[in-house]
Amino acid sequence: MHVNWKHLAIGLGVLPFVALLGAWIGFFNVGASSGHWKVTDWFLHFAMRSAVRTYALAVDVPDALPRYAIQPAAGHFARGCAICHGAPGEPRTPVIDFMLPQPPDLATRVGEWTDAQLFRIVKHGVRFTGMPAWPTQKRDDEVWAMVAFLRELPQMDEPRWRDLAYGGERPPLGQAADFRQALAECTRCHGEDGMGRSPATPVLAGQSAGYLAESLRAYVEKRRRSGIMGVAAATVAPELLPDLARHFSALPVAPPSPVQPPAPVAKGKEIARSGVPARDVPACLGCHGRPDDNPVYPELSGQPAPYIATQLRLFRSGERGGTRFAHLMHNAAKNLSDDEIDALAAYFAQREREYAAGHGAGLSGAAP
């Protein structure tokens, strides 16, 4: 068979203009009511799976998934994902029957993907579907927490799901209309006692009200990045944020977690008190844990070690911000090693507070 390369080249050159003309006159039906041709449906899924498989090759998978962080991941799933993908005891909305393509029941499908591929999908979403990207591209720790949650989802029963996602009564999933609803949005992850419901969640009880109010504003205004907290804080009316800050600041502080192994605690105590002068790392206790400290400096004593370690690593990489003092922590953390971060986390986790936090103080000093 003889191929006329000249005619083939002309045909290929004209093809884009034919496609553009077809789009301009409305030849291509973009309505969802008629569905895709079978070949179109096959091609889109083939392209999606191929792209996820290829891009997942560049994902650095942790040695172990952060299963300690599945509780806040479940809370985010309840607010942003379950409506389309369903959850134990909570069927998907009937609207999905009319979506194109239909979102899958994840409990039956997560086994088809590797951890790296799930990370890629959760972080970047999928074009031409209703699957959005993670609300911030700067919090891989949250994405991995969601991967850990998805791995447990197929075996999860309804009581376990409701405990993780809500911690009690299911709060309304719309805009918080009053303080009670706003508080319910907080307590499902931070607990009614403000002590946090997972090692990935900070203790709010007894924290400075000025710091809490400033942090909430930073989440709402996207100055502090978090897919989980950014979405949760955005559901609360701005005028309720100071009330929430004062509420949690006034709660009593429970004793810290049990003493960690003595070696890392001792090392962390030394850094907290003296810093690392050779690498310009200042003493943590020079700012944190003093009776006269700035009310926008958080109290670290008694915070969960995994939470402290995560925040220090975020500061070290320059990805944690929010308050007008964030740059101080960027400089303080940039020369810390992983071992030093873990030691500091262990020390502060078991350290008792030496004074009461600023219960309601500092709100007038919060940045706008």
Side-chain angles (χ1 to χ4, degrees):
M1 176 180 174
H2 176 70
V3 177
N4 189 318
W5 295 105
K6 179 180 179 180
H7 291 168
L8 180 60
I10 293 173
L12 292 175
V14 171
L15 185 60
F17 295 97
V18 174
L20 182 61
L21 177 63
W24 181 74
I25 64 177
F27 175 78
F28 300 106
N29 180 11
V30 298
S33 58
S34 58
H36 288 310
W37 294 332
K38 288 188 180 298
V39 66
T40 304
D41 185 70
W42 171 85
F43 178 78
L44 291 175
H45 281 85
F46 170 76
M48 185 272 284
R49 289 181 173 274
S50 298
V52 170
R53 182 178 64 248
T54 298
Y55 281 97
L57 295 175
V59 174
D60 186 13
V61 181
D63 294 334
L65 293 177
R67 298 188 183 277
Y68 65 85
I70 66 170
Q71 189 283 313
H76 182 84
F77 189 91
R79 172 166 284 284
C81 311
I83 187 172
C84 288
H85 294 291
E90 296 180 17
R92 296 180 291 170
T93 172
V95 174
I96 67 167
D97 293 335
F98 306 98
M99 296 176 67
L100 187 68
Q102 290 186 9
D105 179 356
L106 294 182
T108 64
R109 301 291 291 277
V110 293
E112 301 175 6
W113 305 96
T114 68
D115 291 346
Q117 290 166 353
L118 284 175
F119 176 89
R120 171 72 193 186
I121 294 170
V122 172
K123 182 175 181 178
H124 296 283
V126 182
R127 291 183 183 178
F128 312 118
T129 72
M131 175 63 189
W134 193 254
T136 175
Q137 296 294 290
K138 300 296 184 179
R139 291 296 304 270
D140 285 0
D141 59 301
E142 294 182 336
V143 179
W144 282 119
M146 182 59 75
V147 174
F149 165 77
L150 291 174
R151 282 290 178 233
E152 294 203 9
L153 184 59
Q155 296 80 37
M156 193 175 294
D157 58 18
E158 183 177 354
R160 171 70 169 156
W161 155 252
R162 295 188 69 84
D163 177 64
L164 285 172
Y166 310 122
E169 183 180 353
R170 179 181 178 180
L173 294 183
Q175 192 76 15
D178 52 32
F179 177 80
R180 182 185 62 81
Q181 291 185 4
L183 184 61
E185 182 67 34
C186 302
T187 57
R188 60 180 179 154
C189 288
H190 293 284
E192 293 184 0
D193 59 0
M195 294 302 296
R197 300 187 59 235
S198 85
T201 307
V203 173
L204 303 187
Q207 186 63 267
S208 161
Y211 170 74
L212 293 177
E214 176 109 350
S215 296
L216 286 169
R217 291 191 186 96
Y219 283 125
V220 171
E221 297 168 8
K222 297 181 173 58
R223 292 182 282 114
R224 181 172 173 183
R225 302 181 180 100
S226 170
I228 295 174
M229 272 301 302
V231 172
T235 67
V236 178
E239 60 270 18
L240 294 177
L241 299 181
D243 296 333
L244 289 172
R246 279 187 286 265
H247 171 83
F248 283 104
S249 179
L251 293 177
V253 183
S257 60
V259 175
Q260 305 292 322
V265 169
K267 182 178 180 180
K269 182 178 182 179
E270 180 183 357
I271 299 171
R273 290 187 170 184
S274 304
V276 186
R279 281 180 274 124
D280 295 324
V281 176
C284 308
L285 294 176
C287 293
H288 300 279
R290 290 171 37 190
D292 60 342
D293 69 356
N294 188 321
V296 186
Y297 291 167
E299 173 59 71
L300 303 183
S301 300
Q303 296 291 347
Y307 171 77
I308 296 175
T310 296
Q311 303 311 305
L312 285 174
R313 288 183 169 91
L314 290 170
F315 275 124
R316 185 177 63 180
S317 64
E319 294 175 352
R320 160 80 194 261
T323 75
R324 59 192 182 277
F325 301 104
H327 65 285
L328 300 178
M329 277 304 303
H330 294 160
N331 292 329
K334 66 182 180 182
N335 292 323
L336 286 171
S337 68
D338 282 340
D339 287 345
E340 289 167 338
I341 285 176
D342 291 338
L344 283 168
Y347 167 67
F348 278 108
Q350 57 81 53
R351 181 178 186 267
E352 291 191 26
R353 299 188 187 183
E354 298 179 356
Y355 71 100
H359 304 299
L363 287 178
S364 61

